[in-house]
Amino acid sequence: MSYLTTTLILLVSFVGFSAVFAEDPYHFFTWRVSYGTISPLGKPQKVIMINNQFPGPVINCSSNNNIVINVFNNLDEPFLFTWNGIQHRKNSWMDGMPGTNCPILPGKNWTYHWQPKDQVGSYFYFPSIGMQKAAGGFGPMRIHSRNLIPVPYFPAAEEFDVVVHDWYADGHKELQKILDGGRAITRPDAVLMNGKTGDEDDLKPMFNVEAGKTYIFRVCNVGLKASLNFRIQSHNMTLVEMEGSHTVQNTYNSIDVHVGQCFTVMVDANQDPSDYFVVASTRFLKEVQTATGIMRYKGSKGRPASSVLPGAPSGWAWSLNQWRSFRWNLTASAARPNPQGSFHYGQINITRTIKLVNLRVVVGGKVRYALNGVSHTDPDTPLKLAEYFNVSKVFEYNLIGDEPPKNTEAGKIAPNVLSAEFRTFIEIVFENPEKSIQVYHLDGYSFFPAGMGPGKWTPESRKTYNNLDTVSRHTVQVYQNSWTAILLTFDNAGMWNLRSGSWDRNYLGQQLYISVVSPARSLRDEYNMPEISMRCGKVVGLPMPPSYSPV
Ligand SMILES: *[C@@H]1O[C@H](CO)[C@@H](O)[C@H](O)[C@H]1NC(C)=O
Ligand SMILES: *[C@@H]1O[C@H](CO)[C@@H](O)[C@H](O)[C@H]1NC(C)=O
Ligand SMILES: *[C@@H]1O[C@H](CO)[C@@H](O)[C@H](O)[C@H]1NC(C)=O
Ligand SMILES: *[C@@H]1O[C@H](CO)[C@@H](O)[C@H](O)[C@H]1NC(C)=O
Ligand SMILES: *[C@@H]1O[C@H](CO)[C@@H](O)[C@H](O)[C@H]1NC(C)=O
Ligand SMILES: *[C@@H]1O[C@H](CO)[C@@H](O)[C@H](O)[C@H]1NC(C)=O
C-alpha cells in the first residue's frame, strides 16, 4: 500500500469517526399536557400539568445536546411551549411563540427539536399562548457545561431547582376575561415555591442537605408580574451564574429576581443540623406574599432553627444597587473555551438606537398596553411564516419608529414588527414613565444591559454605562420612572419576540417582534423551515419556498 493510499484511508476513517461523534447526544421526552387539580391555597384549582406534574419536569442536559420533545396537547385550547432564554441559533422555528409557530391544536401532538448551542446555565420553559402561564405548564431547565470546558466553580453535592412565582386564585381563563373586560389584575393571592406556599401543615423538607457540603440552587421567577426576593435563613449565597453568564462570585444574603429572570447560587451547608427556611417574597407591593420551603440538614430534629423568617429588603434603590453589583467574570469561560470577556462589547460602535416607551393606552374604549404607540396583536398566520412564504397583508414592517411618537396616548392595535439589519450592533433604550416596574425579555439573544437610571434617557446617559463587565443576560428590569439601555449584535437570523414579562401587559399588547433577515439567504445563517412545521392561517397548503443556499 502506498503512503498516499494509507493516508487516504486514515483520513477517510478519521472523517467517518468524527462524523459519528460530532453528533451531539440526544434526549427524548414525551410530554402530555393536561388539566389537573392542586390546592395550594386550600381550595382545589384547575392547573396545567405536564405528565401529571406541577411544576413540569426538569430538562437536564449539556450545551449543544439535542432536545427532542413530543408534546401532546390534551387541553381544550391551543397550546405552545417556549424555552425562555434558549437562543435557538438559526432556528426561530422552535421558539414556540405565537409569532413563530402555529399552535398545537387540542388533541394533537407536535415535536420540538432544539439544541442549546454554546449555552450554559439555569433556564425555564412555559406556555406562550394567552394567559395559560397563570395556570402552570412551566418547569426548570439545567444546561451543564460540556466536559473539558471548565466552569468557574467546584461541582456541588447536589443541585436543586427552585421554581418561584406569584399565584392567583383565578384560573387563566378568568384572568383573560378580566383583562378582556378592561379590568386590571391586582395583587397576587400567594407566592409558590415548587408548587407550594409552605403554609401546609406537614413540614416535609423540600431540600435535603448534609453539613459540610456545598449545594447549587437554580432559581427562576416564572411568574406573571411580581418581582420576588429570594433568601435562605442563616445562609449566604454565592452567585455563580446568571442567565447563561458566569458572574464575579459575590456573596449575597438575598437576591431580587424579576419575572423571567434566573440565577444560580452555591450554598455551603455550614450551620448546625436543623431545618432552615428557604424564602421567596414579593417586592414593591404593599401586601407582601411569601412562600417558604424547608431545607433540612441530615440529623435535624425536624424543627426550624428559628421561626422568624429572614427579612426582605425594601425599596427600589436596594434593588438597583444590587443590579449594579452583578459583574461578568471576564476571565471565566461561558459555554465556549475562550474567556467571556474576549468579546469587548464596550468598544463596538452603535449603528442604531431604538427607544421604546411603554404606555397604557385606551383603544376603542379598551385598556391596552403599547410600545411607541402600537399595541401588538398576533395575526392568525404567525409572522415568521408570513415572512418565509412571502404572504402579504399579514403585517407591515416598522409601524413604529426608533423614537416614540409625540402623542403617545393615541394607541393602535396591530402586529408590531421591527426589522433589524443582520449583524448590526444596536442599542435599545427602554423608557418606563409609569409607576410600576417593567421587565423585558428578548428571545434569540442575550444582551448587555449597559445602564439604568432615573427619569428620561438622553445620549448623555451613555456616560454612565458599564462598558466593561455588565452581566450578559436575556431579561432585564426597568424601574418605575426610569430607563434601562441594552446593547447587542443582531447576528441570529429569525423572528424574535421582545416582550414585557408582566403577563397582563404582554397579553394586552406590550410586546413586539424583531425580524432579522440574512440578505445572503444562506443555510450558514438560518435553517430552512423544517418539513414537520405546523401550518395555519394563510400558509396552509402553500408549496415550500426554495431552500436557502448551502453556503
Ligand atoms: C444532568 O446532566 C448532567 C450533564 O449532562 C449529568 O452529568 C447529570 O448526571 C444529570 N443529572 C441528573 C440528575 O440526571
Ligand atoms: C405524534 O406522536 C407520534 C408518536 O406517538 C409520533 O410518531 C409523531 O411523529 C408525532 N407527530 C408529530 C407531528 O410530532
Ligand atoms: C473568574 O473566573 C476565573 C476562572 O475560573 C477564576 O479563577 C476567578 O477567580 C474568577 N474571578 C472572580 C472575581 O470571581
Ligand atoms: C455571610 O457573609 C457575611 C459577609 O461576608 C459574613 O459576615 C457572615 O458571617 C456570613 N454568614 C454565614 C452564615 O456564613
Ligand atoms: C467607531 O467610530 C469611530 C468614529 O466614528 C471610528 O473612528 C472608529 O474607527 C469606529 N470603530 C470601529 C471598530 O468601527
Ligand atoms: C414577495 O412578494 C412581493 C409581491 O407580493 C414581491 O414583490 C417580492 O419580490 C417577493 N419577495 C421575495 C423575496 O420573493
Side-chain angles (χ1 to χ4, degrees), residues 87-92 115 117 444-445 491-493 496 527:
Q87 293 172 10
H88 301 294
R89 294 203 67 85
K90 310 179 198 180
N91 196 15
S92 64
Q115 292 177 273
K117 279 260 167 78
Y445 292 92
D491 58 358
N492 189 16
W496 304 109
Y527 299 143

Side-chain angles (χ1 to χ4, degrees), residues 425-446:
F425 191 71
I426 293 180
E427 174 184 49
I428 300 178
V429 177
F430 299 107
E431 224 173 67
N432 175 18
E434 298 187 76
K435 283 196 195 114
S436 56
I437 188 171
Q438 307 294 317
V439 186
Y440 288 96
H441 171 92
L442 176 60
D443 283 356
Y445 292 92
S446 68

Side-chain angles (χ1 to χ4, degrees), residues 234 236 270-271:
S234 309
N236 285 331
N270 58 5
Q271 297 296 301

Side-chain angles (χ1 to χ4, degrees), residues 411-432:
K412 171 177 178 176
I413 301 177
N416 199 358
V417 183
L418 273 180
S419 47
E421 197 182 322
F422 190 49
R423 295 205 177 121
T424 50
F425 191 71
I426 293 180
E427 174 184 49
I428 300 178
V429 177
F430 299 107
E431 224 173 67
N432 175 18

Side-chain angles (χ1 to χ4, degrees), residues 93-94 110 388-389 528-535 542-545 547:
W93 308 114
M94 294 293 157
W110 191 67
Y388 191 67
F389 286 87
N528 287 321
M529 184 175 104
E531 291 286 343
I532 59 145
S533 295
M534 292 172 283
R535 302 282 193 99
L542 293 188
M544 266 298 199
S547 169

Side-chain angles (χ1 to χ4, degrees), residues 32 70-72 109-112 532:
R32 289 171 206 285
N70 189 356
V71 178
F72 288 80
N109 70 301
W110 191 67
T111 305
Y112 288 88
I532 59 145

